[in-house]
Amino acid sequence: MIKAYLLGFLCFALFLCVHVIVFRTIELKERFRAIKTIFFSLIPVYAALYFITPSGYVVVETGGPAAFFSAAPFGTIVAVTVYIHFLSGFMLYLFLFLGYCQFYFIVDRSISVRVMIEIEKSPDGRLSAEEIQKVYPFKGILDRRLEHMVCGNYIEDRNGRYSNTGKGRAEALVFSFLKDLLRLGKGG
């Protein structure tokens, strides 16, 4: 099973490398779509690596690719073990990616992080609320968010008036329910 974990971690490290290279060399409008594409394109790489990498000393596995593709899936302990090993490495890759997505959105979209960066960049390391609004105006924040929501097909712009698409309406209902359930208030 260690083989699967190592391969899951290796694929995530490869994902990070490709992500950095792509973002540093190509100007992208839909960056998160690129991140998802990189993630999904490495799933077959994980599968291929899993089947071509011998178990060796790091895994106690009584079968190999033949057990995985046996005629009676889940029919034997060997087949079940191979499925569990394969899926455990894949799940590690998936959960590392999901955790990274949280980190990515904090870095990319956090208002608090942006304000702290602007304060740090100021000549004396201090800014008043008015000075912060000058370097990071609300209109810029709102315009960027609206643009991302239009690009993500959550809302549509009809002559300067926005409306939810089906996708946006569904998400609004789900998140409204969750905010009410957890008593979070309007937020945002």
Side-chain angles (χ1 to χ4, degrees), residues 123-144:
D124 65 349
R126 294 171 176 236
L127 292 174
S128 68
E130 293 80 23
E131 291 170 323
I132 291 170
Q133 288 176 352
K134 286 179 185 172
V135 295
Y136 191 38
F138 174 74
K139 182 169 175 14
I141 298 168
L142 184 59
D143 289 346
R144 183 173 181 218

Side-chain angles (χ1 to χ4, degrees), residues 1-13 45-53 89-90 92-93:
M1 192 169 329
I2 292 173
K3 172 180 96 169
Y5 293 144
L6 291 174
L7 292 175
F9 186 76
L10 175 71
C11 283
F12 181 70
V45 172
Y46 169 77
L49 287 172
Y50 183 83
F51 292 117
I52 65 171
T53 304
F90 173 74
L92 175 65
Y93 175 53

